[in-house]
């Protein structure tokens, strides 16, 4: 059945009383309660019920005994209220997780964004990722969150990859270790917060999306050991408490570990005992908890029937299962897996011990008994505080990157380039601009406040008109790409509004032209003709303000870039 947990070793290091609580709690549990501890349930604010249930939160806890909670959406006050209610009603306190990869914005609507993984890497040091971790833990902790599904430790080696383009902390193991190590230290520095790294065995090597298809990392075993293996070993040695298994296969290593495997037998890590038990828990010596990535992703659902993969994920070595489809059905699938022997009693107890071990490390039961688990209104004051906003500004300043300026067209200032034609590229935009609304409104307002006369190009016409007239009417062109990708649209590619329309950069030799990406780092692939290009990493108002500062020469560009920005296109460098 593989390795068994040692609660006195890393990452738990429980004292005798902690181990005793785990064992006494485990002994007091029914099979149904043990099965419930294996699940993270997702709670939604507004909209339809998720997981096929219409039960109250109290009924979910009483009937299904869930071990963990995630939530989607919500204001700080709403989230805090939900978590307080859940912890109050649960016999065994819950692990409560949030996706705080870039700061507190992953915890609630008012949370403070600091920096993505790509932005942290561009800053070239450890301060930005460390502060991102600190803010994540402070602001999520103020709500009652005790698990951060971060940092992402994937290594971005394929520029076509959309899932971790902006989320990865680098293109080499050394860069990822340095940046994610700093973020993990930040998360742990001021609060009791479980760190969960992801996505084992590693994303970033291919271009496909596990939301839609099985992910495959094709590295040979030695290549993996020298890259992703080093990253995971670093975090294991540092005491990482939780690892999220991705719906990603590692076929060459899987066949090395189990020579009997054929291509048809290759499964994602979430269902592969040779990766979870043999590689992660045995070879790398990982003693913590493994959680699946979201169980609705096609990388998992396409492997076999849900009735089979729900229990097989735990049998393979995962210790918690992320999200119900239908809560009653999935709970029944897992319970049947225990009763049918798919999950042995030893594997079930080992998984539950790992869950309870983290709860003991956080002293959740003790805090609940002492009345310290619930959070209050005063805790929320840290969210969006002055220090966090200052750190956001300093992160933007340290990371905004000038990738190219081959015609020496910067700075662009109202004294010399007053009439600015703005091209805003986004899937959501149909070319219609309402003053003051959204990112585009923020951008226009910022430029106009600096003295630019801004005309937003609607991109609807195929007729460019006389080029000499364009040069008479326009002093400079600014192309801003704000293409939404992860969890919304699996595409980093720019979609020009109309083929060969007026928004396509036909004007790069007519007037000075600058392109700014507010998210993906590889937009030069679709705009190699642009001679001045900037990566700004995010569309928050502070980033926009500082982009304009740097366009105008009010502050220098301090960020650095990696070679993936050129997307293997020699034209992009020109």
């Amino acid at each position: 059945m593989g390795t068994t947990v040692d609660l006195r070793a890393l990452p738990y290091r429980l004292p005798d009383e902690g181990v005793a609580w785990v064992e006494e709690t485990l002994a007091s549990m029914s099979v149904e309660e043990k099965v419930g501890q294996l699940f993270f349930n997702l709670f939604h604010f507004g909209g339809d019920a998720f997981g096929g249930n219409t039960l109250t939160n109290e009924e979910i806890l009483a009937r299904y005994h869930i071990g963990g909670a995630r939530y989607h959406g919500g204001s700080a006050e709403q989230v805090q209220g939900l978590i307080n209610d859940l912890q109050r009603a649960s016999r065994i306190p819950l692990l409560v997780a949030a996706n705080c990869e870039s700061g507190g914005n992953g915890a609630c609507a008012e949370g403070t964004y600091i920096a993505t993984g790509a932005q942290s890497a561009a800053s070239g040091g450890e301060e930005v990722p460390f502060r991102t971790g600190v803010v994540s833990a402070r602001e999520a902790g103020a709500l009652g969150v005790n698990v951060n599904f971060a940092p992402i430790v994937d290594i971005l080696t394929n520029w076509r990859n959309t899932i971790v383009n902006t989320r990865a902390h680098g293109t080499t193991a050394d860069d990822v270790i340095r940046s994610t190590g700093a973020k993990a230290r930040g998360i742990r520095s001021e609060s009791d917060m479980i760190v969960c790294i992801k996505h084992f065995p590693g994303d970033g090597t291919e271009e496909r999306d596990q939301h839609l298809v099985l992910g495959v990392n094709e590295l040979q075993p030695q290549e993996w050991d020298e890259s992703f293996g080093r990253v995971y070993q670093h975090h294991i040695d540092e005491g990482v408490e939780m690892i999220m298994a991705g719906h990603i296969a590692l076929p060459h290593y899987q066949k090395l570990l189990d020579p009997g495997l054929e291509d048809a037998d290759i499964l994602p890590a979430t269902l592969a005992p040779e990766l979870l038990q043999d590689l992660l828990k045995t070879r790398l010596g990982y003693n913590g908890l493994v959680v699946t990535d979201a169980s609705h992703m096609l990388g998992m659902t396409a492997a076999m029937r849900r009735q089979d993969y729900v229990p097989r994920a735990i049998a393979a070595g995962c210790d918690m299962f992320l999200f119900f489809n239908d809560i009653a059905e999935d709970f029944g699938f897992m319970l049947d897996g225990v009763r049918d022997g798919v999950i042995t009693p030893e594997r079930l107890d080992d998984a539950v011990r790992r869950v309870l071990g983290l709860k003991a490390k956080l002293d959740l039961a003790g805090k609940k008994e002492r009345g310290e688990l619930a959070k209050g209104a005063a805790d929320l004051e840290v969210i969006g505080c002055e220090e966090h906003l200052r750190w956001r500004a300093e992160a933007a300043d340290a990371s905004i990157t000038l990738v190219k300026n081959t015609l020496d067209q910067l700075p662009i200032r109202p004294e010399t380039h007053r009439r600015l034609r703005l091209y805003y590229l986004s899937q959501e935009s149909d070319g219609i601009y309402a003053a003051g609304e959204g990112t585009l409104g923020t951008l226009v307002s910022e430029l106009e406040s600096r003295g630019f006369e801004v005309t937003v190009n609607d991109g609807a016409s195929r007729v460019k008109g006389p080029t000499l007239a364009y040069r008479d009417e326009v002093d400079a062109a600014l192309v801003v790409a704000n293409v939404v990708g992860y969890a919304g649209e699996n595409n980093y590619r720019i979609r020009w509004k109309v083929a060969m329309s007026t928004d396509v950069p036909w004007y790069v030799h007519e007037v000075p032209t600058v392109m700014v990406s507010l998210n993906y780092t590889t937009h030069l692939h679709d705009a190699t003709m642009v001679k001045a290009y900037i990566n700004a990493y995010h569309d928050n108002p502070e980033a926009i303000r500082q982009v304009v500062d740097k366009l105008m020469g009010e502050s220098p560009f301090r960020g650095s870039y990696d070679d993936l920005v050129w997307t293997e296109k020699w034209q992009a460098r020109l």
Side-chain angles (χ1 to χ4, degrees):
M1 63 156 286
T3 60
T4 55
V5 67
D6 181 355
L7 294 175
R8 289 183 170 83
L10 276 176
Y12 304 95
R13 285 187 171 170
L14 295 185
D16 290 345
E17 56 268 28
V19 175
W21 179 83
V22 170
E23 296 302 330
E24 290 166 7
T25 303
L26 183 65
S28 73
M29 299 170 71
S30 66
V31 171
E32 289 79 6
E33 287 177 311
K34 291 178 182 179
V35 165
Q37 288 296 299
L38 305 177
F39 285 100
F40 266 100
N41 185 49
L42 181 62
F43 295 86
H44 271 242
F45 289 98
D48 297 330
F50 189 88
N53 80 81
T54 56
L55 304 175
T56 67
N57 294 339
E58 289 76 14
E59 288 171 334
I60 291 172
L61 293 168
R63 192 174 301 181
Y64 298 109
H65 324 288
I66 59 172
R70 268 272 277 121
Y71 57 91
H72 181 73
S75 67
E77 186 176 347
Q78 287 175 317
V79 173
Q80 189 188 74
L82 169 68
I83 295 173
N84 283 345
D85 288 345
L86 292 174
Q87 296 290 30
R88 190 179 300 114
S90 182
R91 180 174 85 85
I92 301 171
L94 300 169
L95 297 175
V96 182
N99 257 26
C100 292
E101 299 173 8
S102 305
N105 61 315
C108 62
E110 305 94 323
T112 309
Y113 167 89
I114 301 296
T116 61
Q119 187 175 344
S120 293
S123 73
E126 298 184 10
E127 183 175 71
V128 170
F130 179 84
R131 287 176 169 180
T132 303
V134 171
V135 173
S136 299
R138 284 180 181 173
E139 297 194 355
L143 307 173
V145 172
N146 51 42
V147 178
N148 190 359
F149 282 165
I152 285 180
V153 300
D154 297 314
I155 305 172
L156 183 65
T157 60
N158 187 331
W159 67 266
R160 292 183 181 272
N161 185 286
T162 62
I163 300 304
V164 297
N165 179 295
T166 61
R167 303 161 75 201
H169 285 254
T171 60
T172 69
D174 288 335
D175 288 342
V176 170
I177 288 170
R178 179 175 61 252
S179 189
T180 62
K183 182 176 284 186
R185 290 195 302 275
I187 293 170
R188 296 188 180 103
S189 64
E190 297 185 13
S191 61
D192 294 332
M193 186 72 65
I194 298 300
V195 172
C196 176
I197 59 174
K198 54 191 182 184
H199 308 84
F200 179 83
D203 201 349
T205 66
E206 69 155 349
E207 63 187 273
R208 295 178 300 171
D209 176 357
Q210 305 90 53
H211 294 84
L212 305 174
V213 68
L214 172 67
V216 182
N217 184 324
E218 295 282 7
L219 290 183
Q220 295 291 332
Q222 183 175 349
E223 294 176 309
W224 190 90
D225 287 340
E226 294 171 354
S227 55
F228 289 93
R230 286 183 53 221
V231 174
Y232 278 95
Q233 193 66 69
H234 168 83
H235 283 280
I236 290 169
D237 293 344
E238 290 292 307
V240 68
E241 296 93 348
M242 190 181 293
I243 293 177
M244 181 178 288
H247 307 309
I248 302 169
L250 189 64
H252 299 294
Y253 222 132
Q254 289 174 260
K255 291 178 180 179
L256 174 68
L257 294 167
D258 185 350
L261 291 177
E262 302 291 339
D263 286 350
D265 304 319
I266 296 298
L267 292 170
T270 38
L271 297 168
E274 66 278 5
L275 292 181
L276 297 175
Q277 299 285 13
D278 299 341
L279 179 55
L280 181 58
K281 292 184 176 181
T282 301
R283 287 200 175 195
L284 296 181
Y286 181 57
N287 187 48
L289 185 149
V290 178
V291 61
T292 72
D293 204 343
S295 61
H296 294 85
M297 296 166 65
L298 270 290
M300 187 180 212
T301 66
M304 61 187 71
R305 297 185 306 173
R306 190 169 181 94
Q307 183 175 5
D308 296 324
Y309 69 71
V310 169
R312 281 188 62 173
I314 304 302
C318 292
D319 305 299
M320 294 192 79
F321 192 87
L322 192 58
F323 305 150
F324 294 101
N325 177 46
D326 179 277
I327 190 168
E329 185 178 71
D330 282 354
F331 187 86
F333 289 161
M334 194 72 80
L335 188 59
D336 287 344
V338 172
R339 290 171 173 165
D340 296 344
V342 175
I343 303 171
T344 66
E346 294 81 10
R347 175 79 273 268
L348 176 63
D349 282 355
D350 180 63
V352 177
R353 277 192 179 93
R354 293 172 192 260
V355 177
L356 296 176
L358 291 187
K359 296 181 178 186
K361 179 173 182 173
L362 294 167
D363 191 27
L364 296 184
K367 290 175 181 175
K368 182 174 182 178
E369 185 177 341
R370 296 189 298 272
E372 299 171 1
L373 199 54
K375 300 294 182 178
D379 295 301
L380 301 180
E381 294 176 3
V382 73
I383 298 175
C385 68
E386 183 178 338
E387 182 178 43
H388 293 180
L389 295 177
R390 186 177 74 250
W391 286 358
R392 182 180 72 172
E394 291 173 356
D397 182 47
S399 58
I400 294 173
T401 307
L402 178 63
V403 175
K404 63 187 274 191
N405 183 26
T406 55
L407 296 183
D408 197 26
Q409 294 173 316
L410 296 177
I412 300 292
R413 296 186 59 85
E415 297 90 342
T416 53
H417 305 85
R418 180 176 58 84
R419 297 169 301 173
L420 199 63
R421 184 67 57 90
L422 176 60
Y423 301 83
Y424 184 73
L425 311 174
S426 169
Q427 281 102 323
E428 287 70 37
S429 175
D430 60 3
I432 304 302
Y433 162 58
E437 291 187 4
T439 302
L440 178 56
T442 300
L443 182 59
V444 171
S445 296
E446 187 65 42
L447 290 165
E448 289 180 340
S449 73
R450 306 297 186 94
F452 289 101
E453 180 183 301
V454 181
T455 301
V456 179
N457 192 74
D458 66 12
S461 173
R462 293 178 181 270
V463 181
K464 301 179 180 67
T467 57
L468 294 180
Y470 183 89
R471 289 164 58 182
D472 285 340
E473 297 167 1
V474 177
D475 297 320
L478 178 61
V479 185
V480 177
N482 194 21
V483 178
V484 177
Y486 169 68
E489 172 75 29
N490 178 35
N491 202 332
Y492 66 93
R493 301 289 297 275
I494 293 171
R495 295 181 178 179
W496 308 107
K497 297 179 182 68
V498 181
M500 294 183 290
S501 66
T502 57
D503 63 327
V504 179
W506 60 271
Y507 38 81
V508 292
H509 292 292
E510 304 299 333
V511 297
T513 300
V514 182
M515 181 172 182
V516 179
S517 170
L518 297 181
N519 36 52
Y520 284 109
T521 62
T522 48
H523 277 142
L524 267 178
H525 177 66
D526 286 320
T528 54
M529 72 291 287
V530 173
K531 305 304 180 183
Y533 177 87
I534 296 164
N535 275 331
Y537 307 102
H538 203 262
D539 63 355
N540 69 80
E542 181 60 37
I544 289 172
R545 184 185 71 80
Q546 294 210 31
V547 164
V548 176
D549 274 349
K550 295 176 188 299
L551 280 172
M552 293 175 59
E554 299 291 327
S555 70
F557 290 93
R558 294 186 171 89
S560 58
Y561 60 85
D562 57 66
D563 278 348
L564 295 188
V565 299
W566 307 118
T567 68
E568 300 178 308
K569 304 295 182 294
W570 57 264
Q571 317 95 286
R573 297 176 182 268
L574 300 178

